[in-house]
Amino acid sequence: MTAAEMPWLLDILIALFLLFGALVALIGSFGLAKLPDFYMRLHGPTKASTLGVGCVLLGSLLFFSHQQEGLSVQEALVTLFLFATAPVSAHMLAKAALHRRLRAIERTRNRPFD
């Protein structure tokens, strides 16, 4: 089965997942580059990587599952691994920053060390 034989509604759904995932990842990368301190910079990319890459992987899962006429196991495993590890790694980075007593800027709400 080729991509030309794919239903148009599935094409649109896959395209929306890919575009939304790419947009969220782009916004997260801007957050990483522009936010002023570590605690703020940590928040943007971790949320964006989970949601953005998750949407891209979901679009890929739909496409390849339709091509193979069954569930695409590789994309499902990568998505499961991403959703399990991204929050844990962000938590560990934040704990390390707190352990090192990394200071936040004045505008940060709920600053850890006042």
Side-chain angles (χ1 to χ4, degrees):
M1 184 170 280
T2 63
E5 298 173 15
M6 192 178 309
W8 64 271
L9 192 57
L10 185 60
D11 274 343
I12 291 173
L13 184 64
I14 291 170
L16 287 175
F17 274 124
L18 293 176
L19 288 173
F20 182 71
L23 179 68
V24 169
L26 179 68
I27 292 169
S29 65
F30 280 135
L32 178 64
K34 297 293 182 182
L35 290 173
D37 70 354
F38 176 78
Y39 299 105
M40 289 183 190
R41 279 192 300 262
L42 181 64
H43 186 72
T46 54
K47 302 298 182 204
S49 70
T50 304
L51 183 61
V53 176
C55 284
V56 169
L57 283 169
L58 190 56
S60 176
L61 177 99
L62 288 173
F63 178 78
F64 287 111
S65 293
H66 183 268
Q67 293 297 312
Q68 299 170 357
E69 296 181 0
L71 183 64
S72 179
V73 178
Q74 293 88 355
E75 281 84 6
L77 288 175
V78 170
T79 304
L80 180 69
F81 182 73
L82 172 78
F83 286 160
T85 59
V88 173
S89 64
H91 179 72
M92 295 305 290
L93 285 168
K95 294 275 289 187
L98 288 172
H99 180 71
R100 293 188 55 144
R101 302 185 65 82
L102 193 63
R103 296 255 178 228
I105 65 169
E106 291 293 324
R107 294 182 312 171
T108 302
R109 288 187 287 175
N110 299 326
R111 290 184 305 152
F113 306 109
D114 285 331

